[in-house]
Amino acid sequence: MGAYNAAMETLSERAALMRESMQKTQAITDNMVVILGSFDQRLSALETAMRPTQAIFSPFRFNNFASFRFHKIYFLSPSITEFQAEAKILRGPHEDLESYLEAVNQLRSIVKFFSGNKGFKSSIGVINQANNLLGKAIFKLEEEFRQLLTSYSKPVEPDRLFDCLPNSMRPSAGSPRGGETNVMKPSADHQNKNLEPVVYRLPVLIPARILPLLHDMALQMIQAGHQQQLLIIYREARSLAVEQTLRKLGVERLGKEDVQKMQWEVLEAKIGNWIHFMRIAVKLLFAGEKKVCDEIFEDNDTLRDQCFAEVTANSVAMLLSFGEAIAKSKRSPEKLFVLLDMYEIMRELQSEMDIIFGSKYCGEMREASVVLTKRLAQTAQETFGDFEEAVEKDATKTAVLDGTVHPLTSYVINYVKFLFDKLQYLIVGIDPFSYQSTLNQLFKEFDDGDAEEQLGAITTRIMQALQSNLDGKSKQYKDPALTQLFLMNNIHYIVRSVRRSEAKDLLGDDWVQIHRRVVQQHANQYKRISWSKILQCLSTQGLGPGGSGSFGDGGSTTGVSRATVKDRFKTFNISFEEIHQRQSQWTVPDSELRESLRLAVAEVLLPAYRSFLRRFGPLIEGGKNPSKYIRYSPEDLERMLAEFFDGKTFNEPRR
């Protein structure tokens, strides 16, 4: 009985323990239900927050517990991504720039994700850590950008720039290259080549494969707010490269004082080079730099325009300073053509300057270019006006002993012809060039009147000034016949040159006809002064009571003194020989005018001599030693007249 009771008591205790255990299990179950219910609410909130990104993972969405596991993994993935990005950042951008930039983008995504979900307990810590890492990444990226840009920002060699020019504008083979004082002209053999279009090719300043990398790095720095640092780095690297390129080419920063000290030949060469440098700088160097800048900063117009302006500002100022120095230097006639060349290149490049330097940050450069253009126009116009006065007041004492064309005449005429005559080019796209169109444009800069009419008036005054000066110079001759020959030669040279020049259209046909008559007047005056006295020797006047003063064959020789006839022949011989000796040293440089003048003299002299010889020659021929008096036959005189105006020297033998 006792054993039974003990067994029942043990069983009761066990039953009580089981009941207590079951009660605890129920409590735990109830707690788990509460916990799971709460967790389900949190998962719902998390799912709502992550809904924008769930579409990416829609194939992996499962129900119940599988969904819970996925969300737990997705919640941890930013941390994993951050860890991977950190490893790439620590390695630096130099070895694998593309992976480095990808890691920077991943860090930005992490910051963006947690910044939008700050309800997570660890969000602030993750954001801070990612931002710190991002700061380090951008600093390394900035250094890499500086190093990469600097390594590819080298000056362009002149030969590379010349190769980008049209063939016609490249320096000829064997000629001095950039940096030397040499006016760069089209190739000498270009005249023999086929016609070709004018094509400029932009130089490669930075390799095409490098530009996208610089662009991507610049974009990251801009997103990080490092625009100012980016501007400084870009300006330092690229501005130095542009300036060194121009120096290698031969560009110098020269002021007014430097220009004034130079010999004209040196200065003229430098001006010629400057014109080509301007074309190369604007069409090739600045245009190429603009293209590079546009590609690197295509996502930020403001920074792009700022960078380009700061890179080119000093180089533009260096180029324009030489033009300013020339425009402000002392005026002289020989500078007109180079001033017009400089004005023309500035006008030619103005539209491209407006495009390349079109942003508000380049406003000062555009304005400086316009100011220089107007200043060159003003100086050229004043120089052209000065030329008239310089011609009129020319006081050179250069003696033209033979009466030929005076150096002043040829200088002025060549000056005028060079201004108005067209220069032909064998280049497609370049019309025949004339300074007249440049002068017309120049006058329009300051006056709305008829520019061609103004040019015609100034040219007419220049011609009047030249003739006035020649009149003064002609008075230096003691022989009045030589005075007339000198004026005939010079006015004829002027008229002939004008008739063959575009200046004829400015001066007009009436001007030409009037001055042709002036030439004839001087020729007639020469004949009268030179030959009137000698023709008197061949006149019958004073030979006897029957003398009529004519040169005819008629009339008797009765009562004519043989001694008087001898004296006439003797006087004629002496006078003619003297004239021959003197005037064969005079010069009529124009062959047509020379023959015309000889013929005009022969038409007067030879008939008179033949007539006198036929009528009075027998009186001498019947006497003693006739050759002493009748030295020349008409053919001899004709031959000797053919030696007049050849400019022979005293010791030169007769032909």
Side-chain angles (χ1 to χ4, degrees):
M1 188 68 175
Y4 174 77
N5 290 334
M8 288 299 294
E9 184 177 353
T10 300
L11 185 60
S12 296
E13 290 177 357
R14 289 181 177 178
L17 289 172
M18 287 179 66
R19 187 168 52 253
E20 182 180 357
S21 176
M22 289 179 64
Q23 290 174 347
K24 289 181 178 180
T25 301
Q26 183 63 43
I28 291 171
T29 300
D30 291 341
N31 289 336
M32 285 295 295
V33 170
V34 173
I35 291 170
L36 289 173
S38 172
F39 193 67
D40 186 58
Q41 292 175 358
R42 291 167 64 190
L43 286 175
S44 297
L46 180 61
E47 182 178 17
T48 300
M50 294 169 56
R51 189 167 293 132
T53 59
Q54 284 180 338
I56 302 173
F57 301 95
S58 56
F60 303 103
R61 295 182 66 188
F62 301 101
N63 295 323
N64 303 326
F65 192 65
S67 176
F68 164 74
R69 290 185 64 193
F70 163 73
H71 284 297
K72 182 176 181 182
I73 293 169
Y74 187 80
F75 175 78
L76 293 174
S77 66
S79 298
I80 297 171
T81 301
E82 181 180 354
F83 176 78
Q84 294 171 341
E86 182 176 11
K88 294 178 182 179
I89 297 301
L90 291 176
R91 282 197 298 269
H94 192 67
E95 293 182 1
D96 189 351
L97 181 58
E98 291 184 9
S99 295
Y100 189 89
L101 293 173
E102 181 183 346
V104 173
N105 284 326
Q106 289 173 344
L107 286 176
R108 292 191 192 283
S109 299
I110 291 170
V111 171
K112 182 178 179 181
F113 171 77
F114 282 101
S115 295
N117 297 278
K118 292 184 178 179
F120 298 134
K121 186 175 181 180
S122 60
S123 292
I124 296 176
V126 172
I127 291 171
N128 290 338
Q129 184 177 353
N131 277 331
N132 288 336
L133 193 56
L134 196 57
K136 295 177 182 178
I138 296 300
F139 176 78
K140 289 185 177 182
L141 202 60
E142 183 178 308
E143 290 303 311
E144 180 67 16
F145 182 86
R146 185 196 308 275
Q147 183 180 348
L148 188 63
L149 181 65
T150 302
S151 65
Y152 285 100
S153 293
K154 304 299 181 185
V156 183
E157 293 298 325
D159 283 347
R160 280 184 54 204
L161 290 173
F162 297 152
D163 289 341
C164 296
L165 290 170
N167 287 336
S168 58
M169 295 184 181
R170 297 176 188 176
S172 56
S175 66
R177 292 300 180 117
E180 299 185 31
T181 305
N182 172 64
V183 180
M184 294 155 45
K185 296 181 178 178
S187 302
D189 60 347
H190 177 70
Q191 305 294 324
N192 302 321
K193 295 182 180 178
N194 295 328
L195 299 181
E196 57 183 45
V198 177
V199 178
Y200 293 85
R201 294 182 298 103
L202 292 184
V204 177
L205 302 180
I206 294 179
R209 61 185 178 83
I210 301 300
L211 290 173
L213 300 178
L214 292 170
H215 165 267
D216 293 344
M217 285 191 283
L219 183 61
Q220 291 291 352
M221 293 172 66
I222 291 170
Q223 290 177 354
H226 286 224
Q227 288 92 332
Q228 190 61 32
Q229 295 93 317
L230 195 56
L231 173 61
I232 294 171
I233 294 171
Y234 193 85
R235 179 186 63 207
E236 290 177 351
R238 293 306 306 163
S239 63
L240 183 61
V242 174
E243 290 170 31
Q244 288 179 341
T245 298
L246 290 178
R247 288 195 185 96
K248 278 179 171 283
L249 197 60
V251 177
E252 304 171 86
R253 187 184 288 274
L254 297 172
K256 179 181 175 182
E257 294 75 16
D258 301 313
V259 167
Q260 295 285 65
K261 295 175 184 176
M262 290 182 187
Q263 295 292 329
W264 168 241
E265 293 76 12
V266 176
L267 182 59
E268 185 180 25
K270 285 187 178 295
I271 291 171
N273 280 335
W274 179 85
I275 290 168
H276 290 280
F277 295 160
M278 281 297 300
R279 185 178 283 113
I280 290 171
V282 174
K283 290 181 177 288
L284 299 180
L285 191 57
F286 295 152
E289 194 62 42
K290 182 74 162 60
K291 182 175 181 290
V292 167
C293 215
D294 288 348
E295 291 190 30
I296 293 177
F297 302 108
E298 67 174 342
D299 303 297
N300 192 306
D301 293 348
T302 300
L303 186 59
R304 176 197 66 197
D305 294 341
Q306 279 184 298
C307 285
F308 178 72
E310 297 213 11
V311 163
T312 54
N314 195 48
S315 294
V316 170
M318 182 165 61
L319 278 165
L320 297 185
S321 67
F322 181 77
E324 288 284 348
I326 297 296
K328 293 177 181 178
S329 63
K330 185 178 179 181
R331 298 195 302 269
S332 59
E334 66 269 15
K335 284 185 182 177
L336 177 59
F337 300 104
V338 294
L339 285 168
L340 292 175
D341 288 337
M342 294 172 76
Y343 169 72
E344 185 62 33
I345 191 62
M346 292 303 297
R347 281 191 62 246
E348 174 192 325
L349 298 175
Q350 194 60 57
S351 59
E352 288 172 88
M353 290 283 289
D354 290 341
I355 294 172
I356 296 172
F357 298 93
S359 75
K360 65 179 182 180
Y361 299 100
C362 296
E364 288 187 11
M365 285 177 270
R366 288 198 309 275
E367 180 64 22
S369 173
V370 171
V371 167
L372 175 58
T373 303
K374 287 189 175 295
R375 185 162 287 158
L376 288 168
Q378 182 179 358
T379 305
Q381 190 177 37
E382 292 170 352
T383 302
F384 191 34
D386 292 345
F387 184 61
E388 175 192 343
E389 183 179 355
V391 171
E392 187 171 8
K393 294 183 177 179
D394 178 77
T396 55
K397 300 298 182 181
T398 304
V400 183
L401 300 177
D402 58 358
T404 189
V405 176
H406 196 278
L408 176 65
T409 304
S410 56
Y411 173 73
V412 172
I413 292 303
N414 288 336
Y415 197 95
V416 171
K417 286 178 63 179
F418 203 73
L419 279 175
F420 300 123
D421 288 359
K422 292 180 179 179
L423 305 175
Q424 297 289 336
Y425 288 99
L426 297 178
I427 308 171
V428 173
I430 297 184
D431 295 328
F433 174 74
S434 167
Y435 282 112
Q436 183 171 348
S437 59
T438 306
L439 284 167
N440 283 330
Q441 183 62 40
L442 184 146
F443 277 96
K444 290 176 183 177
E445 291 272 359
F446 308 102
D447 195 333
D448 295 331
D450 189 330
E452 191 164 320
E453 187 176 319
Q454 294 180 58
L455 275 178
I458 293 177
T459 306
T460 300
R461 292 200 302 270
I462 289 173
M463 293 302 179
Q464 290 172 345
L466 175 58
Q467 291 177 68
S468 175
N469 193 296
L470 290 172
D471 284 339
K473 285 179 167 46
S474 71
K475 293 179 173 58
Q476 297 175 359
Y477 297 108
K478 295 179 180 179
D479 189 333
L482 186 55
T483 296
Q484 297 303 318
L485 189 83
F486 171 79
L487 291 172
M488 179 198 72
N489 276 331
N490 282 269
I491 303 301
H492 177 267
Y493 179 82
I494 294 170
V495 173
R496 186 195 63 178
S497 300
V498 167
R499 287 180 63 194
R500 299 175 180 177
S501 167
E502 301 291 332
K504 178 184 176 183
D505 296 333
L506 291 172
L507 294 170
D509 290 333
D510 289 345
W511 186 95
V512 172
Q513 294 305 320
I514 289 170
H515 286 80
R516 288 183 71 180
R517 289 196 291 270
V518 171
V519 173
Q520 189 59 50
Q521 289 169 7
H522 287 302
N524 292 337
Q525 286 288 83
Y526 156 78
K527 286 191 297 182
R528 183 185 62 80
I529 295 170
S530 286
W531 298 98
S532 59
K533 183 178 178 181
I534 198 171
L535 287 172
Q536 288 299 318
C537 297
L538 303 177
S539 170
T540 59
Q541 185 177 5
L543 289 178
S548 63
S550 69
F551 301 109
D553 293 332
S556 171
T557 59
T558 305
V560 175
S561 168
R562 180 177 293 173
T564 304
V565 172
K566 287 182 177 180
D567 188 58
R568 286 289 184 93
F569 272 108
K570 185 176 180 181
T571 303
F572 174 84
N573 293 336
I574 293 171
S575 298
F576 183 78
E577 288 169 0
E578 180 184 318
I579 291 175
H580 175 265
Q581 183 182 18
R582 185 168 66 252
Q583 295 196 13
S584 62
Q585 298 176 65
W586 294 357
T587 301
V588 177
D590 183 80
S591 59
E592 185 177 337
L593 180 62
R594 183 171 60 248
E595 291 303 321
S596 173
L597 193 60
R598 287 171 177 170
L599 181 61
V601 172
E603 286 176 344
V604 174
L605 180 65
L606 294 181
Y609 186 76
R610 285 192 182 100
S611 174
F612 191 84
L613 185 62
R614 273 195 296 267
R615 184 173 180 183
F616 301 107
L619 292 176
I620 305 300
E621 290 169 349
K624 184 180 179 181
N625 197 14
S627 61
K628 178 179 179 181
Y629 302 101
I630 305 176
R631 292 184 183 177
Y632 304 106
S633 66
E635 292 73 23
D636 290 334
L637 294 181
E638 187 174 9
R639 177 183 57 78
M640 294 175 72
L641 283 176
E643 297 177 339
F644 276 51
F645 319 124
D646 270 348
K648 296 195 312 183
T649 61
F650 284 103
N651 297 324
E652 186 176 349
R654 293 181 182 180
R655 286 182 290 180

